[in-house]
DNA sequence: ATTTTAATATTGACAGCGTAAACATTAAAA
DNA sequence: TTTTAATGTTTACGCTGTCAATATTAAAAT
């Protein structure tokens, strides 16, 4: 009585939750590959679905990428927010927030790159992405403010210190991700340039400490 | 006596200096477009040459991109090296070096992105690129060292301060380039978040000053 | 000056990509 | 039960990077 049902090897004509599957597959690819390895067609193939099926869930490739950004920002933001409760000392927390940021970049470099290096045509269109992103950033900002309120804090405009903190931690992430850039550093008796975690620890601590006397 | 000479509208069968032309056209495109707008075929068309002609000068697209990186690193490095002679005060110079870096990113964002965000498959293959890049970075490093030798300087391992400086200035460049990221900053009475130059000035100065008491 | 060779160009082809248009199937709403 | 909206499919177009085979010519060797 069935016509011959379902495109090959699927139980129903409809996939069920293609959108989520696509996002997850994409993240999967990004774990071992780069943005260049990410194609809608490849995702469709992986999901066992026709090459235009993704277009029912994403207007275009950019929309898929926006979803990946959102996913990453959410995860990064959650990690940082958890630190807001776990660590009450502002200076310590500032350092730990930085480490979270750096470690995210180290663990998911391709995902991180998409989050920060892929520019959307119209950022404002993706309001949920904007909200989610705000989460992590505001942790950083609030913590910087707390540091500046500490006795003996350096006198800097909050926005300047916030910008500095964010710049520092972002730049650090990029530099550490980039094997080749590290090669431009000269060797040093106190620092093992091969140990990225040590570098991150020292730089973030140094920044934290620079905010107070 | 001519066979019918030359592919349409060229004086000789050979182009003359196709390699340079391609690089310049590429930089041209990057002035108003992005890496996504850059295709070998488009460059070939622009140069009035067949679509495979570029392959006589670049092994593949990546090789062309490496040339673009090199061009940018050379320019950035030269600008920074000039500052080494112009400004003798280390703290002042450190700040100005940072400003150069940031301004380069602001003026040639797409080029900057290629320089730092496009990862070559095999960086070591491009030794000239490596040398040229070293120029600018070592200016930053030497200047940081001079600052640390100043009376009243903070006690930090040189490599840590160098890494911090570079991270700071690179992260700052990225953040300022990214219109959308700035939106996540809260407004501030002392800083005009719309004035990227002012932000850069304040952040770089703040960093410079943080190295000495 | 003539021949040989290496550099530089061309045409044609292939597979992969993003995505638009037209149509099919089915789950959910009326 | 019928209608409709959501979710699929097929086919097609133009773009891309790049390969193989071939042509032209400037420069080197004779």
């Amino acid at each position: 009585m069935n016509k011959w049902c379902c495109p090959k090897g699927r139980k129903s004509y409809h996939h069920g939750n293609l959108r989520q599957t696509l996002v997850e597959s994409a993240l999967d690819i990004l774990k071992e590959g780069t943005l260049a390895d990410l194609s809608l067609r490849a995702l469709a193939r992986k999901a066992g679905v026709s090459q235009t099926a993704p277009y029912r869930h994403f207007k275009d490739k950019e929309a898929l990428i926006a979803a990946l950004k959102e996913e990453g920002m959410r995860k990064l933001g959650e990690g940082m927010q958890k630190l807001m409760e776990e660590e009450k000392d502002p200076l310590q927390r500032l350092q730990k927030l930085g480490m979270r940021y750096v470690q995210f970049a180290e663990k998911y470099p391709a995902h991180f790159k998409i989050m920060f290096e892929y520019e959307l045509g119209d950022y404002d269109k993706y309001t949920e992405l904007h909200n989610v992103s705000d989460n992590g950033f505001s942790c950083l900002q609030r913590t910087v403010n707390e540091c500046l309120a500490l006795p003996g804090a350096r006198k800097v405009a909050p926005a300047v210190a916030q910008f500095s903190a964010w710049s520092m931690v972002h730049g650090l992430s990029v530099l550490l991700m980039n094997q080749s850039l590290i090669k431009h550093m000269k060797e040093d008796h106190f620092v093992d340039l091969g140990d990225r975690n040590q570098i991150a620890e020292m730089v973030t601590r140094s920044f934290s400490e620079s905010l107070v006397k």
Side-chain angles (χ1 to χ4, degrees), chain A:
Chain A
M1 223 157 218
N2 269 343
K3 336 225 121 170
W4 28 287
C5 185
C6 322
K8 47 181 162 186
R10 209 184 317 147
K11 47 193 179 274
S12 81
Y13 184 87
H14 289 80
H15 175 287
N17 58 345
L18 183 52
R19 193 196 143 97
Q20 196 191 334
T21 300
L22 290 171
V23 171
E24 284 170 5
S25 293
L27 292 177
D28 237 46
I29 288 177
L30 290 183
K31 268 177 197 152
E32 309 213 322
T34 134
L35 175 56
D37 305 316
L38 194 62
S39 79
L40 288 182
R41 287 169 106 113
L43 290 179
R45 251 172 277 141
K46 223 174 158 186
V49 96
S50 86
Q51 65 201 8
T52 54
Y55 285 88
R56 300 300 137 192
H57 301 272
F58 299 101
K59 182 188 165 293
D60 51 22
K61 192 177 183 181
E62 178 165 294
L64 184 261
I65 289 180
L68 298 177
K69 277 180 175 253
E70 194 181 314
E71 199 57 30
M73 288 301 191
R74 188 187 324 275
K75 195 156 168 187
L76 178 57
E78 280 170 0
M80 294 176 84
Q81 222 151 18
K82 210 173 280 174
L83 278 177
M84 296 299 278
E85 294 146 20
E86 285 176 20
E87 177 60 67
K88 290 307 179 188
D89 176 57
L91 288 177
Q92 288 277 335
R93 196 203 304 149
L94 183 58
Q95 197 217 344
K96 288 183 178 175
L97 284 170
M99 289 299 292
R100 272 282 155 92
Y101 200 98
V102 170
Q103 281 159 356
F104 185 99
E106 189 176 353
K107 193 161 182 186
Y108 312 104
H111 198 175
F112 183 90
K113 276 163 182 271
I114 282 189
M115 287 159 62
F116 291 103
E117 299 183 352
Y118 188 102
E119 296 218 41
L120 297 171
D122 182 4
Y123 186 67
D124 295 324
K125 201 161 60 182
Y126 305 93
T127 61
E128 183 56 19
L129 168 59
H130 191 281
N131 290 337
V132 170
S133 303
D134 234 33
N135 262 330
F137 300 149
S138 84
C139 291
L140 213 50
Q141 293 171 235
R142 270 146 46 206
T143 303
V144 167
N145 288 348
E146 289 181 46
C147 291
L148 292 181
L150 250 30
R154 252 178 88 214
K155 291 194 198 330
V156 208
V160 171
Q162 290 166 17
F163 234 108
S164 298
W166 192 7
S167 297
M168 171 71 73
V169 87
H170 186 84
L172 183 58
S173 301
V174 171
L175 264 43
L176 290 177
M177 263 188 335
N178 238 19
Q179 198 67 351
S180 52
L181 289 181
I182 299 187
K183 291 185 183 140
H184 291 279
M185 299 294 300
K186 315 293 177 254
E187 80 277 1
D188 186 296
H189 295 300
F190 304 96
V191 181
D192 175 8
L193 289 174
D195 185 348
R196 289 182 286 194
N197 202 64
Q198 189 203 18
I199 298 177
E201 291 268 9
M202 296 182 85
V203 171
T204 50
R205 179 166 344 114
S206 163
F207 180 83
S208 251
E209 288 171 356
S210 81
L211 288 185
V212 292
K213 178 224 69 133

